[in-house]
Amino acid sequence: CAGEENWVDSRTIYIGHREPPSGTDAYIPQRYPDNRIVSSKYTFWNFVPKNLFEQFRRIANFYFLIIFLVQLIIDTPTSPITSGLPLFFVITVTAVKQGYEDWLRHKADNAVNQCPVHIIQHGKVVRKQSRRLRVGDIVLVKEDETFPCDLIFLSSSREDGTCFVTTASLDGESSHKTYYAVQDTKAFHTEQEVDTINATIECEQPQSDLYKFVGRINIYQDRDEPIARPLGSENLLLRGATLKNTEHIFDKTGTLTENNMEFIECCVDGHVYVADAICNGQILTGTVGMDMIDSSPGAGGKEREELFFRALCLCHTVQVKEEESVDGIKKGLQPCGKSSSVYISSSPDEVALVEGMKRLGFTYLRLKDNHMEILNRDDDIERQVSLTEFELMEVLSFDSVRRRMSVIVKSSTGEYYLFCKGADSSIFPRVIQGKVDQVRARVEHNAVEGLRTLCVAYKTLAQDEYESVCKQINTAKLALHDRDKKLAEAFDVIERDLILLGATAVEDRLQDKAADTIESLHKAGMKVWVLTGDKMETAAATCYACKLFHRNTEILELTTKRTEEQSLHDVLFDLSKTVLRHCGSLTRDTVSGLSHDVPDYGLIIDGATLSAVMKPTEESSSGNYKEIFLEICRNCSAVLCCRMAPLQKAQIVKMIKTSKEHPITLAIGDGANDVSMILEAHVGIGIMGKEGRQAARNSDYAIPKFKHLKKMLLVHGHYYYIRISELVQYFFYKNVCFIFPQFLYQFFCGFSQQPLYDTAYLTLYNISFTSLPILLYSLIEQHVNMDILKRDPSLYRDIAKNSLLRWRIFIYWTLLGVFDAVVFFFGAYFLFDNTTFTSNGQMFGNWTFGTLVFTVLVFTVTLKLALDTQYWTWINHFVIWGSLLFYVIFSLLWGGIIWPFLNYQRMYYVFMQMLSSGPAWLGIILLITISLIPDMLKKVICRQLWPTSAERIQVKAQTHLSLMSPASIARNKPVLLQYTDCTDV
């Protein structure tokens, strides 16, 4: 059955028996669960407690819950509403969202569990609900029906015992796959015949690999000893797949039964720790200051503790909602276009930072075209093959370790043949006869031309040899443990003493714009490595075709051929001397690897040499080969690793990830042999191509063509980083502006923890007054046009090495926030110091003072973001100016001007009274201007003296727009008419 706990207690299933066969363990039907699917997380009874428990497991939510409870228990300067309302809002919205999603899962589960299925009981077809299926039931599946659980294929309506299945819902592959019934049961076609099957199934424990299954079936046919047959993935029909082009089949029920911390998230955590340290410093200062002032003998520890909690509530209130805002915005910034699919949402940070700190991006190309050339033929065997029909007897499946596959066939004359195809390196050592030299020369010639080659060989098998081979294969197939290893050992013995038949070559045509994409990644400062299983000559020709290597690239070889002539130690040190001759240092920054003042090196290494390099050296004089290899690679513009096994690809990625630079790596591939590499890299991208969808299914992002990688990295990755870095820094800046005046106020109120701002302002600052502008900025900002980013990949270098989230930038934003806060507070303080502040000479109170500071604060931080915005649309104007208007309207409402029912609270008429004063208007405008001047001066000076590439583009764009203005067109009409058809203009 297909429950969540599957074949855990026992690995034996009984078919057709109400009692187990004699000599077997007692059968306990209750040990197996039913076929009910439960994908939902909650029930009606446990939703509230379980959801609240999960939400308060988050440190931020639990922390603010404690703040809220403290505010309820003791007399704090702020109302519990200031922290309780935002917390309640976040918890409620999250609970409603998760509850709705779980309700949808309940509906989907019920639809699946109540789906009708047909089983065989007492020789008749019986209909029941899917959830009531039990292990041991025999299921009848008809064409176009979906398999209700994992099934062992017993028989089919097709005479050959096969069926066709689509697994699109499992792995995205829409092509029809062929599955095979158990050899001894495929002849049973009626319900009565199938119901007579008595058998047991043994299998391995559940695993996550969809394409691997190890088991065996023991069939009892009126004898004491059962007939044992192996079960593999070709006999297993997985739940969710669909039967195609087959009238019906009979099946036996059965079941098969990590997350990286993002780089930018780590930077954000560092900034949050600093923010907490600043808040804690303010709390400590306020507590100590109050203790020094109130040093009377009666002041005890209880009062000090209460004072501490009052300061804690006052300073940390502003952080409510900030973390939730950042998380929500990041989920909306997935860097993908219409042509890509996102499988993992935890990778956009790394997509934005590939090649940031000497990042090494990994790219693997497998881009085929169907063009075949026969290199050499054995005329005698060709004539025999053309005149004879063969029966397929055995298939020795392909695997990436031995790099070959074979079939055993029987001719109409009763002779047995083994035909083997594979890479030349795996075929030639096993050949004892044939035109080896001629074929080898032709293979190498075609490999240089970029063709992908395979060699074909054969041998004849005598009757006793064939029987011995079958016995070895069947013994290995019946093994439940280490089946793959035992099969590989059997195949190794069988695939020997071959006769070379010939070779084939397939044109390896690049996908459209693959060369342009790789060249753009180079210009963006990324190191591109090619990891492939192809021959060195084929892979090198492909690298030249895709512009990974150029004609002026000096190729360095670290291959088996060279290490046979010299020791590995000597070869490595010769290569290091070569690359360092013009560099002078092993630690050269290779981000500028395309500069013209140093030679352009390209390294080629094969799998055998890589294994020797990765192996730890025992001789201390030899040093660490792996470190020397890495230093050589750092000084090469591109690296080609050929004859790579899948595991070696993952080892290379891991080696680069753990190097001293700790670069962000990206792996892209389209085949099953790329999965390990894709899983190992920080960012894994799968190409949905002709090689199947295993790579796409195991990736973070899936794209249909290799060329889409250019837009994903250079456009979406660039935009994401610009937006998220502004978001993080701006959130910190506006909260420094918000908190620091409150801290300064304590020096003027005797450290009594009297709040500077009203409760409503404390609550709504991060929720309403300043949240929407930065939210919109983080979703739509385009500091440079998308087409320009694609045309000029060097702009990606502006964000290299995490340049916008470095501590230098963070300190600048912090100092800017402190400066603005000082201007807000002391500017308002000096205005209030004038006793003729109002026209009637009335002196304003502390709430008017706080409202003045808060008004300057809201307008300044909003206008600061407006100055940083480059991409203006109507929605920007609406949100930015609308947020300011909303603040004014709310203040009038809260002050009882619009809503008279609020005329008894402390803010009654405060805002209106402040606006009725001419000096207040002048002070607000003056303080806002003074606060914004430093940042504007910094922008002007930096743009003039140290402009980035993006800023140069922005200046050109603004100049172009000024030239296209109506006045300019009128002045230059005769000239501009020449360019009316030019697409650039």
Side-chain angles (χ1 to χ4, degrees):
C1 69
E4 291 296 329
E5 304 294 334
N6 308 306
W7 291 0
V8 174
D9 298 324
S10 173
R11 291 183 300 160
T12 305
I13 294 176
Y14 302 93
I15 306 174
H17 280 281
R18 297 297 160 241
E19 298 293 336
S22 59
T24 61
D25 296 334
Y27 173 46
I28 307 175
Q30 291 78 10
R31 73 175 58 177
Y32 299 108
D34 58 20
N35 195 44
R36 182 181 290 106
I37 283 294
V38 180
S39 63
S40 56
K41 184 186 297 185
Y42 308 105
T43 65
F44 178 80
W45 304 107
N46 70 8
F47 173 75
V48 173
K50 189 173 182 179
N51 185 264
L52 289 177
F53 172 75
E54 291 180 350
Q55 292 206 56
F56 284 112
R57 287 174 62 185
R58 296 191 62 186
I59 297 299
N61 291 342
F62 181 75
Y63 177 78
F64 291 117
L65 175 64
I66 297 299
I67 297 294
F68 174 68
L69 294 177
V70 169
Q71 290 176 313
L72 289 176
I73 295 172
I74 68 173
D75 182 21
T76 59
T78 58
S79 169
I81 297 177
T82 57
S83 59
L85 182 60
L87 183 62
F88 175 78
F89 176 78
V90 171
I91 296 297
T92 303
V93 170
T94 304
V96 170
K97 172 179 174 293
Q98 294 179 351
Y100 176 72
E101 292 174 348
D102 204 64
W103 177 71
L104 294 179
R105 285 192 287 266
H106 273 284
K107 288 186 63 178
D109 291 347
N110 290 335
V112 173
N113 291 330
Q114 297 174 10
C115 180
V117 296
H118 299 87
I119 68 169
I120 306 300
Q121 285 186 352
H122 307 296
K124 296 181 180 180
V125 178
V126 179
R127 180 171 172 170
K128 65 164 59 175
Q129 291 182 345
S130 174
R131 61 178 179 172
R132 301 189 183 279
L133 279 177
R134 296 280 188 242
V135 171
D137 287 341
I138 297 179
V139 182
L140 170 65
V141 182
K142 299 180 181 179
E143 185 175 4
D144 294 327
E145 287 185 351
T146 300
F147 301 132
C149 58
D150 295 343
L151 302 164
I152 297 298
F153 186 17
L154 298 180
S155 70
S156 168
S157 60
R158 300 174 62 90
E159 294 296 330
D160 57 358
T162 63
C163 71
F164 299 100
V165 173
T166 60
T167 57
S169 61
L170 302 178
D171 56 15
E173 297 186 31
S174 57
S175 58
H176 292 185
K177 298 181 178 66
T178 304
Y179 287 80
Y180 301 89
V182 177
Q183 189 69 24
D184 295 83
T185 62
K186 70 178 184 180
F188 297 168
H189 296 294
T190 66
E191 291 82 357
Q192 293 77 16
E193 292 174 335
V194 171
D195 195 46
T196 62
I197 297 177
N198 291 328
T200 62
I201 295 175
E202 299 173 86
C203 69
E204 63 179 355
Q205 295 293 341
Q207 59 172 306
S208 59
D209 192 346
L210 286 177
Y211 306 97
K212 185 179 179 181
F213 175 68
V214 176
R216 66 177 171 227
I217 182 171
N218 302 304
I219 304 173
Y220 297 84
Q221 295 180 342
D222 300 328
R223 64 180 71 180
D224 294 334
E225 291 297 326
I227 300 175
R229 298 298 182 194
L231 296 175
S233 57
E234 70 277 5
N235 309 117
L236 179 68
L237 305 174
L238 295 173
R239 178 181 192 134
T242 304
L243 183 66
K244 293 290 185 181
N245 296 345
T246 307
E247 183 179 343
H248 67 264
I249 59 174
F250 293 101
D251 308 271
K252 181 73 204 70
T253 57
T255 317
L256 304 176
T257 32
E258 256 169 26
N259 187 12
N260 294 331
M261 177 74 77
E262 300 174 26
F263 185 79
I264 292 179
E265 185 177 342
C266 295
C267 298
V268 173
D269 288 344
H271 295 174
V272 170
Y273 295 149
V274 173
D276 288 339
I278 293 174
C279 288
N280 293 331
Q282 295 177 5
I283 294 170
L284 182 62
T285 302
T287 305
V288 173
M290 182 61 185
D291 188 58
M292 294 175 63
I293 294 175
D294 187 13
S295 57
S296 60
K302 182 177 180 181
E303 288 78 4
R304 293 187 180 93
E305 291 176 3
E306 183 173 339
L307 178 65
F308 172 80
F309 284 116
R310 285 164 59 89
L312 178 69
C313 296
L314 184 62
C315 289
H316 281 284
T317 298
V318 299
Q319 294 184 20
V320 184
K321 189 72 171 73
E322 179 174 354
E323 181 177 341
E324 286 79 3
S325 300
V326 174
D327 289 343
I329 291 173
K330 285 175 67 176
K331 287 180 174 63
L333 296 182
Q334 300 291 350
C336 61
K338 295 180 180 178
S339 59
S340 64
S341 300
V342 179
Y343 292 108
I344 307 250
S345 62
S346 62
S347 300
D349 294 351
E350 283 82 4
V351 171
L353 285 175
V354 173
E355 191 66 18
M357 299 169 59
K358 293 186 180 178
R359 318 260 188 269
L360 301 182
F362 289 80
T363 304
Y364 175 68
L365 301 177
R366 173 159 292 184
L367 314 167
K368 287 186 175 179
D369 187 35
N370 295 325
H371 172 72
M372 182 170 288
E373 177 187 0
I374 302 299
L375 303 182
N376 188 65
R377 298 191 295 260
D378 186 311
D379 295 335
D380 295 335
I381 192 66
E382 182 187 4
R383 283 193 295 271
Q384 185 171 353
V385 168
S386 63
L387 298 175
T388 308
E389 293 184 357
F390 290 96
E391 179 186 358
L392 180 63
M393 307 301 293
E394 292 286 349
V395 177
L396 283 60
S397 303
F398 174 86
D399 66 74
S400 57
V401 176
R402 74 185 213 280
R403 293 193 175 106
R404 60 184 180 274
M405 73 166 293
S406 301
V407 293
I408 299 177
V409 296
K410 180 180 180 181
S411 68
S412 57
T413 58
E415 296 176 313
Y416 294 94
Y417 292 93
L418 180 143
F419 290 95
C420 182
K421 71 169 184 177
D424 59 321
S425 60
S426 66
I427 297 295
F428 284 141
R430 297 175 176 272
V431 168
I432 59 172
Q433 186 179 344
K435 302 175 182 179
V436 178
D437 295 335
Q438 180 181 349
V439 175
R440 191 194 303 272
R442 188 62 175 166
V443 166
E444 292 178 355
H445 172 74
N446 282 271
V448 172
E449 293 181 352
L451 300 177
R452 306 185 68 181
T453 58
L454 284 177
C455 294
V456 183
Y458 78 102
K459 74 174 182 180
T460 57
L461 299 173
Q463 180 69 32
D464 57 342
E465 278 186 287
Y466 169 70
E467 293 175 355
S468 175
V469 164
C470 289
K471 184 176 180 180
Q472 294 181 57
I473 295 176
N474 289 334
T475 301
K477 284 184 176 180
L478 289 173
L480 291 181
H481 301 286
D482 298 326
R483 176 182 290 185
D484 291 341
K485 179 181 178 181
K486 293 176 181 178
L487 282 173
E489 293 173 352
F491 294 166
D492 182 68
V493 174
I494 297 168
E495 296 170 329
R496 293 181 179 178
D497 302 329
L498 303 176
I499 302 172
L500 186 61
L501 178 61
T504 63
V506 179
E507 183 180 358
D508 202 7
R509 181 180 297 175
L510 291 175
Q511 285 188 6
D512 182 37
K513 297 184 178 180
D516 173 69
T517 300
I518 291 181
E519 190 173 26
S520 297
L521 298 182
H522 262 298
K523 291 179 180 178
M526 302 181 195
K527 291 283 291 292
V528 182
W529 292 35
V530 172
L531 313 180
T532 176
D534 290 343
K535 285 175 60 66
M536 186 184 77
E537 295 81 3
T538 304
T542 304
C543 288
Y544 278 109
C546 68
K547 297 183 181 180
L548 184 67
F549 293 159
H550 299 84
R551 294 305 171 190
N552 62 343
T553 302
E554 184 176 343
I555 302 299
L556 308 175
E557 292 187 11
L558 184 56
T559 59
T560 305
K561 182 178 180 181
R562 185 168 180 183
T563 54
E564 289 174 352
E565 300 171 354
Q566 289 180 277
S567 67
L568 178 61
H569 177 272
D570 293 338
V571 173
L572 283 171
F573 276 90
D574 286 347
L575 293 178
S576 65
K577 291 178 182 178
T578 301
V579 298
L580 295 176
R581 187 179 304 138
H582 302 280
C583 305
S585 173
L586 282 174
T587 59
R588 184 183 77 158
D589 187 356
T590 55
V591 172
S592 58
L594 294 179
S595 57
H596 298 288
D597 56 343
V598 293
D600 185 17
Y601 292 111
L603 178 67
I604 299 178
I605 183 173
D606 59 20
T609 309
L610 179 68
S611 298
V613 168
M614 300 289 288
K615 187 182 300 182
T617 56
E618 298 179 357
E619 301 178 9
S620 59
S621 59
S622 299
N624 193 325
Y625 289 163
K626 186 166 67 173
E627 288 300 321
I628 300 173
F629 170 68
L630 278 173
E631 298 295 351
I632 295 172
C633 293
R634 290 188 185 100
N635 291 280
C636 294
S637 60
V639 178
L640 167 61
C641 303
C642 54
R643 290 300 192 199
M644 291 286 115
L647 182 59
Q648 287 181 310
K649 296 178 183 181
Q651 289 175 340
I652 291 178
V653 178
K654 185 176 182 179
M655 177 182 65
I656 300 301
K657 282 174 58 179
T658 56
S659 62
K660 60 184 180 183
E661 296 89 353
H662 297 291
I664 300 297
T665 57
L666 180 147
I668 179 171
D670 66 349
N673 55 352
D674 302 321
V675 170
S676 59
M677 169 182 74
I678 289 173
L679 293 175
E680 183 64 42
H682 292 96
V683 183
I685 298 180
I687 300 177
M688 299 176 287
K690 298 179 181 179
E691 297 277 333
R693 299 209 176 190
Q694 289 195 52
R697 194 169 54 85
N698 287 277
S699 63
D700 302 316
Y701 301 93
I703 55 178
K705 296 291 183 181
F706 179 76
K707 65 181 181 181
H708 295 138
L709 181 64
K710 178 179 178 180
K711 186 175 182 180
M712 173 177 279
L713 289 177
L714 303 186
V715 177
H716 294 297
H718 197 141
Y719 282 159
Y720 175 86
Y721 182 74
I722 295 294
R723 295 165 181 172
I724 198 67
S725 59
E726 178 81 9
L727 168 72
V728 172
Q729 307 281 22
Y730 179 79
F731 256 113
F732 186 79
Y733 157 78
K734 72 186 183 73
N735 281 320
V736 169
C737 293
F738 185 52
I739 296 172
F740 205 70
Q742 175 68 58
F743 172 69
L744 295 175
Y745 185 59
Q746 299 308 306
F747 290 91
F748 296 86
C749 67
F751 297 98
S752 63
Q753 305 307 323
Q754 165 69 29
L756 175 62
Y757 314 118
D758 180 68
T759 299
Y761 291 157
L762 283 170
T763 304
L764 298 178
Y765 177 74
N766 271 327
I767 296 179
S768 301
F769 298 148
T770 62
S771 60
L772 284 182
I774 185 59
L775 171 62
L776 185 66
Y777 179 99
S778 303
L779 293 176
I780 70 171
E781 170 64 11
Q782 298 181 20
H783 64 301
V784 177
N785 185 270
M786 184 180 299
D787 294 331
I788 295 177
L789 287 178
K790 288 194 291 186
R791 286 201 305 266
D792 189 359
S794 63
L795 293 174
Y796 192 86
R797 293 173 182 264
D798 287 348
I799 65 172
K801 302 181 182 179
N802 195 28
S803 58
L804 298 183
L805 282 175
R806 287 185 167 187
W807 286 108
R808 175 175 57 85
I809 305 297
F810 174 74
I811 292 172
Y812 166 76
W813 282 85
T814 303
L815 294 178
L816 181 63
V818 171
F819 172 81
D820 289 349
V822 170
V823 171
F824 304 157
F825 183 84
F826 286 105
Y829 177 79
F830 289 128
L831 286 174
F832 268 70
D833 194 45
N834 186 353
T835 56
T836 61
F837 187 63
T838 62
S839 58
N840 59 6
Q842 179 183 354
M843 294 180 63
F844 285 163
N846 63 309
W847 295 118
T848 308
F849 174 75
T851 302
L852 177 63
V853 173
F854 192 81
T855 301
V856 177
L857 164 67
V858 171
F859 274 78
T860 299
V861 297
T862 303
L863 293 176
K864 157 67 176 159
L865 185 63
L867 290 175
D868 290 346
T869 302
Q870 299 292 331
Y871 184 67
W872 283 93
T873 63
W874 69 267
I875 194 171
N876 294 82
H877 289 285
F878 176 79
V879 169
I880 289 178
W881 313 126
S883 295
L884 297 177
L885 181 62
F886 173 75
Y887 165 70
V888 174
I889 295 175
F890 174 83
S891 298
L892 294 174
L893 175 69
W894 190 241
I897 307 303
I898 300 178
W899 194 8
F901 300 101
L902 297 175
N903 58 356
Y904 292 106
Q905 50 95 27
R906 61 192 180 189
M907 292 298 292
Y908 177 67
Y909 219 70
V910 169
F911 190 75
M912 191 64 188
Q913 188 177 24
M914 183 190 72
L915 294 184
S916 64
S917 171
W921 279 93
L922 180 62
I924 291 173
I925 297 173
L926 182 62
L927 294 179
I928 292 174
T929 304
I930 295 175
S931 301
L932 294 176
I933 283 177
D935 191 52
M936 291 189 291
L937 286 177
K938 180 256 182 185
K939 282 183 168 59
V940 172
I941 294 173
C942 289
R943 282 175 179 262
Q944 293 296 325
L945 299 181
W946 309 285
T948 64
S949 301
E951 288 171 346
R952 294 191 188 98
I953 294 295
Q954 291 168 1
V955 172
K956 292 180 181 179
Q958 292 170 358
T959 304
H960 173 71
L961 289 176
S962 64
L963 289 175
M964 294 302 294
S965 64
S968 177
I969 291 176
R971 289 194 303 269
N972 301 283
K973 188 173 182 179
V975 177
L976 289 177
L977 285 176
Q978 301 177 48
Y979 302 98
T980 53
D981 294 330
C982 180
T983 56
D984 288 342
V985 176

